[in-house]
Amino acid sequence: MKLYILILAIALVACSSTENDSSSPAQDNNVSQNLTSQTPESAVDNVPESERVYFFQHRILPEWTFTTEGLFFEDLIRGEFSKLKQAATDIVSKDFAENLDVLQIPTKDAVLITFPEPRGLTNCFFVIIQRTNNSFSYYTYEKTMSFGDDDHFKGVVGTWSSEGSHGNLGPRTYTSPANFIEDVLGK
């Protein structure tokens, strides 16, 4: 637990100096400034929920995935979700944390995290964390807006790298976790 708290503190302080993806740099800066310049109890009160969700899904979880030497992933594989849910409660809300779900996918050495239905653009429906040998992949399925005449798109598959860069793998039309798993991990 101390390692997670240390990493959370480092992420909160360092967030404003990390590379931002082009879709929401103002969002990241606003969240990190508000979260790091206030006491922990009052920090989340002044940041809109959508921005706290983004920060949790796009900054905290990738940070834990890539910097805990596999400890975060191992907790999820073993069914230990207390640290994940506590961080979700602290950063977003108790209701958000209570509605997280984690599914282990042992045949792919992966886990699927399902979130409450996203309200804000770029907030995630799902995240997949996969281990391949000693490295990790972090995939997101993010709520998107319509693209011109193609209003049937529901989300965009994205990735985060260990270096902090965000990749866009394109729009999709599904909203089911099974479709996301098959899309990212194959059958």
Side-chain angles (χ1 to χ4, degrees):
M1 182 69 166
K2 288 180 182 177
L3 179 60
Y4 287 125
I5 293 170
L6 175 63
I7 291 171
L8 177 59
I10 291 169
L12 290 174
V13 172
C15 181
S16 62
S17 66
T18 60
E19 177 181 328
N20 295 318
D21 74 328
S22 60
S23 64
S24 57
Q27 193 174 44
D28 273 356
N29 288 334
N30 183 34
V31 174
S32 63
Q33 287 170 1
N34 281 308
L35 291 176
T36 59
S37 65
Q38 302 173 20
T39 62
E41 298 81 28
S42 67
V44 297
D45 295 338
N46 298 322
V47 178
E49 182 176 308
S50 177
E51 292 179 22
R52 293 180 308 206
V53 169
Y54 178 90
F55 186 73
F56 180 72
Q57 296 170 335
H58 291 271
R59 296 296 182 221
I60 298 300
L61 297 184
E63 181 79 16
W64 285 359
T65 298
F66 297 119
T67 65
T68 62
E69 298 176 358
L71 295 175
F72 174 59
F73 181 79
E74 285 299 323
D75 280 353
L76 298 178
I77 288 290
R78 286 193 325 271
E80 171 51 54
F81 312 133
S82 63
K83 296 167 192 155
L84 172 71
K85 292 205 175 207
Q86 185 60 55
T89 299
D90 293 345
I91 295 169
V92 183
S93 71
K94 183 176 182 180
D95 183 57
F96 179 82
E98 289 174 349
N99 288 293
L100 292 178
D101 189 36
V102 180
L103 172 69
Q104 295 88 1
I105 311 169
T107 59
K108 300 292 185 176
D109 205 13
V111 294
L112 170 80
I113 303 172
T114 301
F115 301 100
E117 184 166 342
R119 295 181 189 158
L121 296 178
T122 70
N123 290 169
C124 298
F125 291 95
F126 319 105
V127 162
I128 289 177
I129 303 170
Q130 184 179 34
R131 176 175 49 194
T132 306
N133 300 319
N134 289 328
S135 65
F136 294 91
S137 298
Y138 188 90
Y139 299 96
T140 59
Y141 189 55
E142 307 166 26
K143 183 176 178 178
T144 191
M145 67 176 101
S146 299
F147 295 100
D149 294 334
D150 293 322
D151 63 354
H152 62 282
F153 291 122
K154 304 295 185 206
V156 172
V157 175
T159 62
W160 280 101
S161 73
S162 59
E163 294 82 26
S165 62
H166 187 257
N168 180 335
L169 303 180
R172 305 294 197 274
T173 59
Y174 56 78
T175 57
S176 93
N179 290 126
F180 181 54
I181 292 168
E182 184 177 331
D183 186 14
V184 170
L185 302 177
K187 289 188 179 192

